[in-house]
């Protein structure tokens, strides 16, 4: 691996985004394969949904649906963190546009901004809770935010030094926040207010 970033597990395979290709690791048998991504420049986040893995390319603003055939989805500029909500809607955060976009996982429609860019400085990661609440990490602002399920309100949850792409343990309600500049991971217990 060169500079691995996003990872996800899909259909018994661990997918790892690694700059310009994706590595897959068979969790049962250990077989390793490379998935070439044409024109990839900075593959970043990975997410699994309904039997497919998706990976963002922050430098090109593209999202790739990994499968046969490999297909490209219209992503926002500087596409970074990816997530699906409980109803199968796909979302992507943009680092440079500091906005959250709803993305068409079929690649037909243009990404639709939620109109929240004024709240953020440089989004990196996104997770979506079962009730539709979004949790996003803002690398430039050094904060973790929640966005209400109706996308109308944004609240700062925590100040964190260099929060990168976040991970969620849904069984234990734990939020994992890699701190890019410290080489550490902060772990937060999520609870209702």
């Amino acid at each position: 691996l060169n500079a691995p970033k996003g990872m996800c597990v899909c259909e018994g395979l661990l997918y790892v985004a690694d700059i310009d290709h994706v590595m897959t690791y068979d969790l049962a048998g250990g077989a390793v394969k490379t998935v070439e991504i044409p024109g990839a420049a900075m593959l970043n986040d990975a997410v699994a949904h309904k039997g497919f893995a998706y990976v963002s390319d922050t430098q090109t603003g593209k999202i790739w649906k990994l499968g046969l055939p490999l297909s490209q989805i219209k992503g926002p500029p500087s596409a970074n963190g990816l997530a699906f909500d409980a109803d199968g809607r796909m979302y992507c955060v943009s680092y440079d546009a500091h906005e959250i976009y709803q993305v068409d996982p079929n690649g037909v429609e243009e990404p639709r901004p939620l109109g929240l860019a004024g709240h953020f400085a440089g989004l990196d990661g996104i997770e979506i809770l079962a009730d539709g609440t979004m949790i996003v990490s803002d690398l430039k602002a050094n904060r973790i935010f929640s966005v209400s399920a109706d996308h109308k309100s944004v609240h700062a949850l925590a100040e964190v030094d260099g929060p990168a792409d976040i991970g969620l343990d849904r069984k234990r309600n734990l939020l994992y926040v890699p701190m890019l500049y410290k080489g550490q991971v902060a772990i937060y217990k999520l609870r209702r207010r």
Side-chain angles (χ1 to χ4, degrees):
L1 296 172
N2 299 295
K5 291 177 179 62
M7 297 187 299
C8 69
V9 175
C10 183
E11 302 292 316
L13 297 175
L14 172 65
Y15 288 79
V16 181
D18 191 24
I19 301 180
D20 61 358
H21 61 278
V22 174
M23 299 299 298
T24 65
Y25 301 88
D26 186 315
L27 296 176
V32 179
K33 293 183 181 175
T34 302
V35 179
E36 299 295 338
I37 308 292
M42 187 181 161
L43 296 178
N44 199 320
D45 196 20
V47 67
H49 183 71
K50 292 192 174 180
F52 290 96
Y54 299 79
V55 64
S56 63
D57 188 329
T58 303
Q59 193 163 321
T60 65
K62 296 176 182 175
I63 300 170
W64 294 92
K65 182 178 182 180
L66 308 182
L68 296 174
L70 181 71
S71 58
Q72 181 182 322
I73 295 170
K74 297 175 183 178
S78 63
N80 203 323
L82 300 170
F84 282 86
D85 70 10
D87 294 322
R89 289 181 292 256
M90 185 179 192
Y91 294 90
C92 180
V93 297
S94 168
Y95 184 77
D96 289 333
H98 38 82
E99 174 65 286
I100 303 170
Y101 290 81
Q102 185 173 344
V103 176
D104 177 6
N106 298 314
V108 177
E109 297 179 22
E110 294 294 326
R112 185 179 59 84
L114 299 187
L116 301 172
H119 296 279
F120 310 117
L123 293 174
D124 197 309
I126 180 171
E127 290 285 350
I128 304 176
L129 306 180
D131 68 357
T133 300
M134 296 178 176
I135 308 291
V136 295
S137 59
D138 191 323
L139 183 67
K140 285 186 181 178
N142 292 313
R143 285 190 172 88
I144 303 297
F145 292 94
S146 70
V147 177
S148 63
D150 62 6
H151 310 148
K152 292 184 179 176
S153 61
V154 176
H155 300 284
L157 296 179
E159 288 195 25
V160 182
D161 187 19
D165 198 0
I166 54 181
L168 182 62
D169 178 340
R170 294 174 191 282
K171 290 182 181 175
R172 297 185 293 171
N173 288 325
L174 297 176
L175 182 71
Y176 294 87
V177 183
M179 295 184 287
L180 189 63
Y181 308 121
K182 288 190 169 184
Q184 299 174 344
V185 176
I187 304 171
Y188 294 90
K189 179 75 172 176
L190 297 177
R191 59 181 186 266
R192 293 223 173 265
R193 290 185 183 190

